[in-house]
Coordinates of all heavy atoms in Angstrom, one line a residue:
M1 N 0.8 -1.2 0.0 CA 0.0 0.0 0.0 C 0.9 1.3 0.0 O 1.9 1.3 0.7 CB -0.9 0.0 1.2 CG -1.8 1.2 1.3 SD -3.0 0.9 2.7 CE -3.7 2.5 2.8
T2 N 0.6 2.2 -0.8 CA 1.3 3.4 -1.0 C 0.9 4.4 0.1 O -0.3 4.7 0.3 CB 1.1 4.1 -2.4 OG1 1.6 3.1 -3.3 CG2 1.9 5.3 -2.5
A3 N 1.8 5.0 0.8 CA 1.5 6.0 1.8 C 1.0 7.3 1.1 O 1.4 7.5 -0.1 CB 2.7 6.3 2.6
T4 N 0.3 8.1 1.8 CA -0.2 9.4 1.2 C 0.2 10.5 2.2 O 0.4 10.3 3.4 CB -1.7 9.4 1.0 OG1 -2.3 9.3 2.3 CG2 -2.2 8.3 0.1
R5 N 0.4 11.7 1.6 CA 0.6 12.9 2.4 C -0.3 13.9 1.8 O -0.3 14.3 0.7 CB 2.1 13.3 2.1 CG 2.4 14.7 2.7 CD 2.5 14.7 4.2 NE 3.8 15.0 4.6 CZ 4.2 15.0 5.8 NH1 3.3 14.7 6.8 NH2 5.4 15.2 6.1
L6 N -1.2 14.4 2.7 CA -2.2 15.4 2.3 C -3.0 14.9 1.1 O -3.3 15.7 0.2 CB -1.6 16.7 2.1 CG -0.8 17.3 3.3 CD1 -0.1 18.6 2.9 CD2 -1.8 17.6 4.5
G7 N -3.3 13.6 1.0 CA -4.1 13.1 -0.1 C -3.3 12.7 -1.3 O -3.9 12.2 -2.3
H8 N -2.0 13.0 -1.3 CA -1.2 12.7 -2.5 C -0.4 11.4 -2.2 O 0.3 11.3 -1.2 CB -0.3 13.8 -2.9 CG -1.0 15.1 -3.3 ND1 -1.6 15.2 -4.5 CD2 -1.4 16.1 -2.6 CE1 -2.2 16.4 -4.6 NE2 -2.1 17.0 -3.4
P9 N -0.3 10.5 -3.2 CA 0.5 9.3 -2.9 C 2.0 9.6 -2.8 O 2.5 10.4 -3.5 CB 0.2 8.4 -4.2 CG -0.4 9.3 -5.2 CD -0.9 10.5 -4.5
R10 N 2.7 8.9 -1.9 CA 4.1 9.1 -1.7 C 4.8 7.8 -1.7 O 4.9 7.1 -0.7 CB 4.4 9.8 -0.4 CG 3.8 11.2 -0.2 CD 4.1 12.2 -1.3 NE 5.5 12.3 -1.5 CZ 6.2 13.4 -1.5 NH1 5.6 14.5 -1.3 NH2 7.5 13.4 -1.8
P11 N 5.2 7.3 -2.9 CA 5.8 6.0 -3.0 C 7.2 5.9 -2.3 O 7.6 4.8 -2.0 CB 5.9 5.7 -4.5 CG 5.9 7.1 -5.1 CD 5.1 8.0 -4.2
E12 N 7.9 7.0 -2.2 CA 9.2 6.9 -1.6 C 9.2 6.7 -0.1 O 8.2 7.1 0.5 CB 10.0 8.3 -1.8 CG 10.0 8.8 -3.2 CD 8.8 9.8 -3.4 OE1 7.9 9.8 -2.6 OE2 8.9 10.5 -4.5
P13 N 10.2 6.2 0.5 CA 10.2 6.0 2.0 C 10.3 7.4 2.6 O 11.0 8.3 2.1 CB 11.4 5.1 2.3 CG 12.3 5.2 1.1 CD 11.4 5.6 -0.1
S14 N 9.6 7.5 3.8 CA 9.8 8.7 4.5 C 11.0 8.7 5.4 O 11.7 7.7 5.5 CB 8.5 8.9 5.4 OG 8.4 7.9 6.4
F15 N 11.3 9.8 6.0 CA 12.4 9.9 7.0 C 11.9 10.9 8.1 O 10.8 11.5 8.0 CB 13.7 10.4 6.3 CG 13.6 11.7 5.6 CD1 13.8 12.9 6.2 CD2 13.3 11.7 4.2 CE1 13.7 14.1 5.5 CE2 13.1 12.9 3.5 CZ 13.4 14.1 4.2
T16 N 12.7 11.1 9.1 CA 12.3 12.0 10.2 C 13.3 13.1 10.2 O 14.5 13.0 10.0 CB 12.2 11.3 11.5 OG1 13.5 10.7 11.8 CG2 11.1 10.2 11.6
I17 N 12.7 14.3 10.6 CA 13.6 15.4 11.0 C 13.3 15.7 12.5 O 12.2 15.3 12.9 CB 13.4 16.7 10.1 CG1 12.0 17.3 10.3 CG2 13.6 16.3 8.6 CD1 11.8 18.6 9.6
M18 N 14.1 16.4 13.1 CA 13.9 16.7 14.5 C 13.4 18.2 14.6 O 14.0 19.1 14.1 CB 15.2 16.6 15.3 CG 15.7 15.1 15.4 SD 14.5 13.9 16.0 CE 14.5 14.3 17.7
V19 N 12.3 18.3 15.3 CA 11.7 19.7 15.5 C 11.6 19.9 17.0 O 10.8 19.2 17.7 CB 10.3 19.8 14.8 CG1 9.8 21.2 15.1 CG2 10.5 19.6 13.3
N20 N 12.3 20.8 17.5 CA 12.3 21.0 19.0 C 12.5 19.7 19.8 O 11.8 19.5 20.8 CB 11.1 21.8 19.4 CG 11.0 23.2 18.9 OD1 12.0 23.7 18.4 ND2 9.8 23.8 18.9
G21 N 13.4 18.9 19.3 CA 13.7 17.6 20.0 C 12.8 16.5 19.7 O 13.0 15.4 20.3
R22 N 11.8 16.7 18.9 CA 10.9 15.6 18.6 C 10.9 15.2 17.2 O 11.0 16.1 16.3 CB 9.4 16.0 19.0 CG 9.2 16.2 20.5 CD 7.8 16.5 20.8 NE 7.3 17.7 20.3 CZ 7.5 18.9 20.8 NH1 8.1 19.0 22.0 NH2 7.0 20.0 20.3
P23 N 10.8 13.9 16.9 CA 10.8 13.5 15.4 C 9.5 13.8 14.7 O 8.5 13.7 15.3 CB 11.0 12.0 15.5 CG 10.5 11.6 16.9 CD 10.7 12.8 17.8
V24 N 9.7 14.3 13.5 CA 8.5 14.6 12.7 C 8.8 14.0 11.3 O 9.8 14.1 10.7 CB 8.4 16.2 12.5 CG1 7.3 16.5 11.5 CG2 8.1 16.8 13.9
E25 N 7.7 13.3 10.8 CA 7.9 12.6 9.5 C 8.0 13.6 8.4 O 7.2 14.5 8.3 CB 6.7 11.7 9.3 CG 6.8 10.8 8.1 CD 5.7 9.7 8.0 OE1 4.5 10.1 8.4 OE2 5.9 8.6 7.6
A26 N 8.9 13.3 7.4 CA 9.1 14.1 6.2 C 9.2 13.2 5.0 O 9.5 12.0 5.2 CB 10.3 14.9 6.4
W27 N 9.0 13.7 3.9 CA 9.1 12.9 2.6 C 10.1 13.6 1.7 O 10.1 14.8 1.6 CB 7.7 12.8 2.0 CG 6.8 12.1 2.9 CD1 6.0 12.6 3.9 CD2 6.5 10.7 2.9 NE1 5.3 11.7 4.5 CE2 5.5 10.5 3.9 CE3 6.9 9.6 2.1 CZ2 5.0 9.2 4.2 CZ3 6.4 8.4 2.4 CH2 5.5 8.2 3.4
P28 N 10.8 12.8 0.9 CA 11.7 13.4 -0.1 C 11.0 14.5 -1.0 O 9.8 14.2 -1.4 CB 12.2 12.2 -0.9 CG 12.0 11.1 0.0 CD 10.8 11.4 0.8
G29 N 11.6 15.6 -1.2 CA 11.0 16.7 -2.0 C 10.2 17.7 -1.3 O 9.9 18.7 -1.9
E30 N 10.0 17.5 0.0 CA 9.2 18.5 0.8 C 10.1 19.5 1.3 O 11.3 19.3 1.7 CB 8.5 17.8 1.9 CG 7.3 16.9 1.5 CD 6.6 16.3 2.7 OE1 7.2 16.1 3.7 OE2 5.4 16.1 2.5
S31 N 9.6 20.8 1.4 CA 10.3 21.8 2.1 C 10.1 21.6 3.6 O 9.2 20.9 4.0 CB 9.8 23.2 1.7 OG 8.5 23.4 2.2
I32 N 11.0 22.2 4.4 CA 10.8 22.1 5.8 C 9.5 22.8 6.2 O 8.8 22.2 7.1 CB 12.0 22.8 6.5 CG1 13.2 22.0 6.3 CG2 11.7 22.9 8.0 CD1 14.5 22.6 6.9
A33 N 9.1 23.8 5.6 CA 7.8 24.5 5.9 C 6.6 23.5 5.6 O 5.7 23.4 6.4 CB 7.6 25.7 5.0
A34 N 6.7 22.7 4.5 CA 5.7 21.7 4.2 C 5.6 20.7 5.3 O 4.5 20.2 5.7 CB 5.9 21.1 2.9
V35 N 6.8 20.2 5.8 CA 6.8 19.2 6.9 C 6.2 19.8 8.1 O 5.3 19.2 8.8 CB 8.2 18.8 7.1 CG1 8.3 17.9 8.4 CG2 8.8 18.1 5.9
L36 N 6.5 21.1 8.5 CA 6.0 21.7 9.7 C 4.4 21.9 9.5 O 3.7 21.6 10.5 CB 6.6 23.0 9.9 CG 8.1 22.9 10.2 CD1 8.7 24.3 10.4 CD2 8.4 22.1 11.5
L37 N 4.0 22.3 8.4 CA 2.5 22.5 8.2 C 1.8 21.2 8.3 O 0.7 21.1 8.9 CB 2.3 23.2 6.9 CG 2.7 24.7 6.8 CD1 2.6 25.2 5.3 CD2 1.8 25.5 7.7
A38 N 2.3 20.2 7.6 CA 1.7 18.9 7.7 C 1.6 18.3 9.1 O 0.7 17.5 9.4 CB 2.4 17.9 6.7
A39 N 2.6 18.7 9.9 CA 2.6 18.3 11.3 C 1.7 19.1 12.2 O 1.6 18.9 13.4 CB 4.0 18.3 11.9
G40 N 1.0 20.1 11.6 CA 0.1 20.9 12.3 C 0.6 22.2 12.9 O -0.1 22.9 13.6
R41 N 1.9 22.5 12.7 CA 2.5 23.7 13.2 C 2.1 24.9 12.4 O 2.2 24.9 11.2 CB 4.0 23.5 13.2 CG 4.8 24.7 13.8 CD 6.2 24.4 13.9 NE 6.5 23.4 14.9 CZ 6.7 23.7 16.2 NH1 6.7 24.9 16.6 NH2 6.9 22.7 17.1
R42 N 1.7 26.0 13.0 CA 1.3 27.2 12.3 C 2.2 28.4 12.7 O 2.2 29.3 11.9 CB -0.1 27.5 12.6 CG -1.1 26.5 12.2 CD -1.1 26.3 10.7 NE -2.0 25.3 10.2 CZ -1.6 24.0 9.9 NH1 -0.4 23.7 10.0 NH2 -2.5 23.1 9.5
V43 N 2.9 28.3 13.8 CA 3.8 29.4 14.2 C 5.2 28.9 14.0 O 5.7 27.9 14.5 CB 3.6 29.8 15.7 CG1 4.6 30.9 16.1 CG2 2.2 30.3 15.9
F44 N 6.0 29.7 13.1 CA 7.4 29.3 12.8 C 8.4 30.2 13.5 O 9.5 29.8 13.7 CB 7.6 29.4 11.3 CG 6.9 28.4 10.5 CD1 5.8 27.7 11.0 CD2 7.3 28.1 9.2 CE1 5.2 26.7 10.2 CE2 6.7 27.1 8.4 CZ 5.6 26.5 8.9
R45 N 8.0 31.4 13.8 CA 8.9 32.3 14.5 C 8.0 33.4 15.2 O 6.8 33.4 15.1 CB 9.8 33.0 13.5 CG 9.1 34.1 12.7 CD 10.1 34.9 11.8 NE 9.5 35.9 11.1 CZ 9.5 37.2 11.4 NH1 10.0 37.6 12.6 NH2 8.9 38.1 10.7
Q46 N 8.7 34.2 16.0 CA 8.0 35.3 16.7 C 8.8 36.6 16.4 O 10.0 36.6 16.3 CB 8.0 35.1 18.2 CG 7.1 34.0 18.6 CD 7.0 33.8 20.1 OE1 8.0 34.1 20.8 NE2 5.9 33.4 20.6
T47 N 8.1 37.7 16.3 CA 8.7 39.0 16.1 C 9.4 39.4 17.4 O 9.2 38.8 18.4 CB 7.7 40.1 15.6 OG1 6.8 40.3 16.7 CG2 6.9 39.6 14.4
A48 N 10.1 40.6 17.3 CA 10.7 41.1 18.5 C 9.7 41.4 19.6 O 9.9 41.3 20.8 CB 11.5 42.3 18.2
G49 N 8.4 41.7 19.1 CA 7.3 42.0 20.1 C 6.5 40.8 20.4 O 5.4 40.8 20.9
H50 N 7.0 39.6 20.0 CA 6.4 38.3 20.3 C 5.2 38.0 19.6 O 4.4 37.1 20.0 CB 6.2 38.1 21.8 CG 7.4 38.2 22.6 ND1 8.5 37.3 22.7 CD2 7.9 39.3 23.4 CE1 9.4 37.7 23.4 NE2 9.1 38.9 23.9
A51 N 4.9 38.7 18.4 CA 3.8 38.4 17.6 C 4.1 37.1 16.8 O 5.2 37.0 16.2 CB 3.5 39.5 16.7
P52 N 3.2 36.2 16.7 CA 3.5 34.9 15.9 C 3.5 35.2 14.4 O 2.7 36.0 13.9 CB 2.3 34.0 16.3 CG 1.2 35.0 16.7 CD 1.9 36.2 17.3
R53 N 4.4 34.5 13.8 CA 4.5 34.5 12.3 C 4.6 33.1 11.8 O 5.2 32.2 12.5 CB 5.7 35.3 11.8 CG 5.6 36.8 12.2 CD 4.6 37.5 11.3 NE 4.5 38.9 11.5 CZ 3.7 39.5 12.4 NH1 2.8 38.8 13.0 NH2 3.7 40.8 12.5
G54 N 4.1 32.8 10.6 CA 4.1 31.5 10.0 C 4.2 31.6 8.5 O 4.5 32.6 8.0
F55 N 3.9 30.5 7.9 CA 3.9 30.3 6.4 C 3.0 31.4 5.8 O 1.9 31.6 6.2 CB 3.4 28.9 6.1 CG 3.6 28.6 4.6 CD1 4.8 28.2 4.1 CD2 2.6 28.7 3.8 CE1 5.0 27.9 2.8 CE2 2.7 28.4 2.4 CZ 3.9 28.0 1.9
F56 N 3.6 32.2 4.9 CA 2.8 33.2 4.2 C 3.0 33.2 2.7 O 2.1 32.8 2.0 CB 3.1 34.6 4.8 CG 2.3 35.7 4.2 CD1 0.9 35.7 4.4 CD2 2.8 36.7 3.4 CE1 0.1 36.7 3.9 CE2 2.1 37.7 2.9 CZ 0.7 37.7 3.1
C57 N 4.2 33.6 2.2 CA 4.3 33.7 0.7 C 4.7 32.4 0.1 O 4.3 32.1 -1.0 CB 5.4 34.8 0.4 SG 7.1 34.3 0.7
G58 N 5.4 31.6 0.8 CA 5.8 30.3 0.2 C 6.9 30.3 -0.8 O 7.1 29.3 -1.5
M59 N 7.5 31.5 -1.0 CA 8.5 31.6 -2.1 C 9.7 32.4 -1.7 O 10.4 32.9 -2.6 CB 7.9 32.1 -3.4 CG 7.2 33.4 -3.2 SD 6.4 33.8 -4.8 CE 5.6 35.3 -4.4
G60 N 10.0 32.5 -0.4 CA 11.2 33.1 0.1 C 11.3 34.6 0.1 O 12.4 35.2 0.1
I61 N 10.1 35.3 0.1 CA 10.1 36.8 0.0 C 9.8 37.4 1.4 O 10.3 38.4 1.7 CB 9.1 37.2 -1.1 CG1 9.7 36.8 -2.4 CG2 9.0 38.7 -1.0 CD1 8.7 37.0 -3.6
C62 N 8.9 36.8 2.2 CA 8.3 37.6 3.3 C 9.0 37.5 4.6 O 8.8 38.2 5.5 CB 6.8 37.2 3.5 SG 6.6 35.5 4.2
F63 N 9.9 36.5 4.8 CA 10.6 36.3 6.0 C 9.7 35.8 7.2 O 10.2 35.7 8.3 CB 11.3 37.6 6.5 CG 12.3 38.1 5.5 CD1 12.0 39.1 4.7 CD2 13.6 37.5 5.4 CE1 12.9 39.6 3.8 CE2 14.5 38.0 4.5 CZ 14.2 39.1 3.7
D64 N 8.5 35.4 6.9 CA 7.6 34.9 8.0 C 7.9 33.5 8.4 O 7.4 33.1 9.5 CB 6.2 35.1 7.7 CG 5.7 36.6 7.9 OD1 6.5 37.4 8.5 OD2 4.6 36.9 7.5
C65 N 8.6 32.7 7.6 CA 8.8 31.3 7.9 C 10.2 31.0 8.5 O 10.6 29.9 8.4 CB 8.5 30.5 6.7 SG 9.8 30.7 5.4
L66 N 10.9 32.0 9.0 CA 12.3 31.8 9.5 C 12.3 30.9 10.6 O 11.5 30.9 11.6 CB 12.9 33.2 9.9 CG 13.0 34.2 8.8 CD1 13.7 35.5 9.3 CD2 13.8 33.7 7.6
I67 N 13.3 30.0 10.6 CA 13.5 29.0 11.6 C 15.0 28.9 11.9 O 15.8 29.5 11.2 CB 13.0 27.6 11.2 CG1 13.8 27.1 9.9 CG2 11.5 27.5 11.0 CD1 13.7 25.7 9.6
T68 N 15.4 28.2 13.0 CA 16.8 27.9 13.2 C 17.0 26.5 12.7 O 16.3 25.6 13.2 CB 17.1 28.1 14.7 OG1 16.9 29.4 15.1 CG2 18.6 27.7 15.0
L69 N 17.9 26.3 11.8 CA 18.2 25.0 11.2 C 19.6 24.6 11.5 O 20.5 25.3 11.1 CB 17.9 25.0 9.7 CG 18.2 23.7 8.9 CD1 17.3 22.6 9.4 CD2 18.1 24.0 7.5
N70 N 19.8 23.5 12.2 CA 21.1 23.0 12.5 C 22.0 24.0 13.2 O 23.2 24.2 12.8 CB 21.8 22.4 11.3 CG 21.0 21.2 10.7 OD1 20.3 20.5 11.4 ND2 21.2 20.9 9.4
G71 N 21.3 24.9 14.0 CA 22.0 25.9 14.7 C 22.2 27.2 14.0 O 22.7 28.2 14.5
V72 N 21.8 27.2 12.7 CA 21.9 28.5 11.9 C 20.6 29.2 12.0 O 19.5 28.7 11.5 CB 22.2 28.1 10.5 CG1 22.3 29.4 9.6 CG2 23.5 27.4 10.4
P73 N 20.5 30.4 12.5 CA 19.3 31.2 12.7 C 18.8 31.8 11.3 O 19.6 31.9 10.4 CB 19.6 32.3 13.7 CG 21.1 32.5 13.5 CD 21.7 31.2 13.1
N74 N 17.6 32.1 11.3 CA 17.0 32.9 10.1 C 17.1 32.2 8.8 O 17.4 32.8 7.8 CB 17.6 34.3 10.1 CG 17.4 35.0 11.4 OD1 16.4 34.9 12.0 ND2 18.5 35.7 11.8
V75 N 16.8 30.9 8.8 CA 16.7 30.1 7.6 C 15.3 30.1 7.1 O 14.3 29.8 7.9 CB 17.2 28.7 7.8 CG1 17.0 27.8 6.6 CG2 18.6 28.7 8.3
R76 N 15.0 30.4 5.8 CA 13.7 30.4 5.2 C 13.2 28.9 5.0 O 13.8 28.2 4.2 CB 13.6 31.1 3.9 CG 13.8 32.6 4.1 CD 13.7 33.2 2.7 NE 14.0 34.6 2.7 CZ 15.1 35.2 2.4 NH1 16.1 34.5 1.9 NH2 15.3 36.5 2.5
S77 N 12.3 28.5 5.8 CA 11.9 27.1 5.8 C 11.1 26.8 4.5 O 11.1 25.6 4.1 CB 11.0 26.7 7.0 OG 9.9 27.5 7.0
C78 N 10.5 27.8 3.8 CA 9.7 27.5 2.7 C 10.5 27.1 1.4 O 10.0 26.6 0.5 CB 8.7 28.6 2.4 SG 9.5 30.1 1.8
V79 N 11.8 27.5 1.4 CA 12.6 27.3 0.3 C 13.8 26.4 0.6 O 14.8 26.2 -0.1 CB 13.1 28.6 -0.4 CG1 12.0 29.4 -1.0 CG2 13.9 29.4 0.6
T80 N 13.7 25.7 1.8 CA 14.8 24.8 2.2 C 14.3 23.4 2.2 O 13.3 23.1 2.9 CB 15.3 25.2 3.6 OG1 15.7 26.6 3.6 CG2 16.4 24.3 4.1
P81 N 14.9 22.5 1.4 CA 14.4 21.1 1.4 C 14.7 20.4 2.7 O 15.7 20.6 3.4 CB 15.2 20.5 0.3 CG 15.9 21.6 -0.4 CD 16.0 22.7 0.5
A82 N 13.7 19.6 3.1 CA 13.9 18.7 4.3 C 14.9 17.6 4.0 O 14.9 17.1 2.8 CB 12.6 18.1 4.7
A83 N 15.7 17.3 4.9 CA 16.7 16.2 4.8 C 16.8 15.5 6.1 O 16.5 16.0 7.2 CB 18.1 16.8 4.4
P84 N 17.3 14.2 6.1 CA 17.3 13.5 7.4 C 18.1 14.1 8.5 O 17.9 13.8 9.6 CB 17.9 12.1 6.9 CG 17.5 12.0 5.5 CD 17.6 13.4 4.9
D85 N 19.1 14.9 8.1 CA 19.9 15.5 9.2 C 19.4 16.8 9.7 O 20.1 17.5 10.5 CB 21.4 15.7 8.7 CG 21.5 16.6 7.5 OD1 20.4 16.9 6.9 OD2 22.6 17.0 7.2
C86 N 18.2 17.2 9.3 CA 17.7 18.5 9.8 C 17.3 18.5 11.2 O 16.6 17.6 11.7 CB 16.4 18.9 9.0 SG 16.8 19.4 7.3
V87 N 17.8 19.5 12.0 CA 17.4 19.8 13.3 C 16.8 21.2 13.4 O 17.5 22.1 13.2 CB 18.6 19.6 14.3 CG1 18.1 19.9 15.7 CG2 19.1 18.2 14.2
V88 N 15.5 21.3 13.6 CA 14.8 22.5 13.5 C 14.4 23.0 14.9 O 14.0 22.2 15.8 CB 13.5 22.4 12.7 CG1 12.7 23.7 12.7 CG2 13.8 22.0 11.3
E89 N 14.6 24.3 15.1 CA 14.2 25.0 16.4 C 13.2 26.1 15.9 O 13.5 26.9 15.1 CB 15.3 25.6 17.1 CG 16.3 24.5 17.6 CD 17.6 25.2 18.1 OE1 17.5 26.1 18.9 OE2 18.7 24.8 17.6
A90 N 12.0 26.0 16.6 CA 11.0 27.0 16.3 C 10.1 27.2 17.5 O 10.1 26.3 18.4 CB 10.1 26.5 15.1
P91 N 9.5 28.3 17.7 CA 8.7 28.6 18.9 C 7.6 27.5 19.1 O 7.0 27.0 18.1 CB 8.1 29.9 18.7 CG 8.7 30.5 17.5 CD 9.4 29.4 16.7
E92 N 7.3 27.2 20.3 CA 6.2 26.2 20.6 C 4.9 26.9 20.6 O 4.8 28.1 20.9 CB 6.5 25.5 21.9 CG 7.6 24.5 21.9 CD 7.4 23.3 21.0 OE1 6.2 23.0 20.7 OE2 8.3 22.7 20.6
Ligands
FES1 S1 6.8 31.9 3.7 FE1 7.5 33.8 3.0 S2 9.7 33.6 3.0 FE2 8.9 31.6 3.5

C-alpha cells in the first residue's frame, strides 16, 4: 500500500527530521515548511514583540517562515528542502 501525504501518494520512503527535539515525519522533495505545516505547526517564529508569524508567501520573500536549522538562525523554511539531518528549532 502506498503512503499518502495530504491526499497525494508518496511511494518513496519517509524519513524523520527533529523539531524542537521531537521526530517529525518528512518525505523526499518536501520543504521544511511543508513538513511543519503537515505536522500541524502554524507558528514558525516570533517578532521582537512576540507576535506569531508563520507560512505566508511560500517563495522566500516575506521572512515569516524563518527557523533555526542545525544551529543556523533565520533560515527560510519554505525554500529549504527537508533532509534526514535537519534539526529545527521554532517557537512552541
Ligand atoms: S513563507 Fe515567506 S519567506 Fe517563507
Side-chain angles (χ1 to χ4, degrees):
M1 181 171 167
T2 301
T4 61
R5 170 73 112 184
L6 302 174
H8 297 278
R10 301 304 309 233
E12 312 93 345
S14 65
F15 55 90
T16 58
I17 67 172
M18 298 303 289
V19 179
N20 293 345
R22 292 186 295 276
V24 175
E25 187 174 35
W27 298 84
E30 291 184 326
S31 67
I32 293 175
V35 173
L36 296 176
L37 288 169
R41 180 175 291 271
R42 298 297 178 260
V43 177
F44 289 21
R45 72 174 184 97
Q46 292 182 327
T47 65
H50 303 287
R53 294 291 185 261
F55 187 83
F56 184 65
C57 75
M59 55 185 178
I61 294 174
C62 73
F63 300 99
D64 280 350
C65 68
L66 298 180
I67 58 166
T68 298
L69 176 62
N70 297 335
V72 179
N74 302 323
V75 174
R76 292 182 183 102
S77 63
C78 69
V79 293
T80 304
D85 62 346
C86 288
V87 177
V88 174
E89 297 168 50
E92 290 292 339

